[in-house]
Amino acid sequence: MKPEKLEQTVQVTKALYLREHEAIKEILAQEAEIRAQLARLDAQVAQAAARPQQTHSVRMVGADILWRGWESKTRRQIHTQLAQVQARKLGAMEQLRRAFGRKDAMEKLQKMEQANLIRRRQTRRQDNLLDSILTKP
C-alpha cells in the first residue's frame, strides 16, 4: 500500500475510533444519571423511614401503601431504564473494541511500512556506496 493511502486509512480508522469513543461517553453519562436517580430514590426512602413520629398518622390514611406502591413502580422503571442503557453499553463497548483493534492494527501496519521503507533506503544507499567503491579503480 502506498504511504499516502496508508496514512489516509490510519486517519479514517482513528476518526471511526473517536466516534465510537464519543458514543460510549454519552451512554456512560446516561448510565450515571440513571444511577443518580436510583440513589435519590434510595435517599427518599431512607428519609421517609427516618420519620417514625409520622408513621402512625400516615398509616391511618393509607398513604404508606400508596408511597410503597409509588416507590416500587419508580424503582422498577429506573431499573428497566438502567438495564436498557447497560445493554446499549455492551453493544457500544464491542463496537469500541473493534474500532480500537482496527485503529491499532493500522497504526502498527503504518509503523512496519515506515520501518521497511527506512530499511529499503538504507539497503539502497549501501548498495550505491558499494557500487561506487567497486567501480572506482
Side-chain angles (χ1 to χ4, degrees):
M1 186 180 288
K2 292 183 178 182
E4 300 84 26
K5 192 77 161 173
L6 185 59
E7 178 61 30
Q8 289 174 351
T9 306
V10 167
Q11 294 303 321
V12 168
T13 56
K14 281 182 183 178
L16 291 173
Y17 169 73
L18 291 175
R19 185 180 71 183
E20 295 298 332
H21 193 269
E22 286 299 315
I24 197 88
K25 281 174 46 178
E26 291 174 12
I27 292 172
L28 291 173
Q30 290 174 350
E31 182 182 18
E33 175 57 34
I34 291 170
R35 288 186 187 278
Q37 289 175 359
L38 195 56
R40 284 192 296 270
L41 180 61
D42 289 338
Q44 285 177 337
V45 170
Q47 184 181 19
R51 296 187 206 153
Q53 68 274 14
Q54 295 178 352
T55 305
H56 180 68
S57 61
V58 169
R59 282 188 184 148
M60 287 180 55
V61 179
D64 63 328
I65 295 170
L66 292 174
W67 166 256
R68 285 190 206 116
W70 175 85
E71 184 255 333
S72 176
K73 178 184 171 192
T74 304
R75 187 175 299 280
R76 193 171 35 256
Q77 288 173 342
I78 292 172
H79 278 290
T80 300
Q81 290 173 352
L82 183 61
Q84 290 170 346
V85 168
Q86 286 177 329
R88 285 182 41 224
K89 182 174 83 170
L90 286 175
M93 288 296 287
E94 182 59 32
Q95 290 177 338
L96 182 66
R97 278 188 212 99
R98 283 190 184 133
F100 176 77
R102 288 184 189 115
K103 177 184 87 71
D104 189 49
M106 290 308 299
E107 287 172 348
K108 287 179 182 176
L109 184 62
Q110 184 182 33
K111 286 178 184 176
M112 286 175 37
E113 190 60 37
Q114 287 172 346
N116 287 339
L117 180 63
I118 290 170
R119 200 172 15 261
R120 285 193 305 266
R121 284 180 184 164
Q122 288 175 344
T123 303
R124 194 170 37 240
R125 285 182 187 151
Q126 287 175 352
D127 288 346
N128 288 342
L129 184 60
L130 284 174
D131 284 344
S132 68
I133 291 172
L134 293 175
T135 57
K136 283 186 180 178

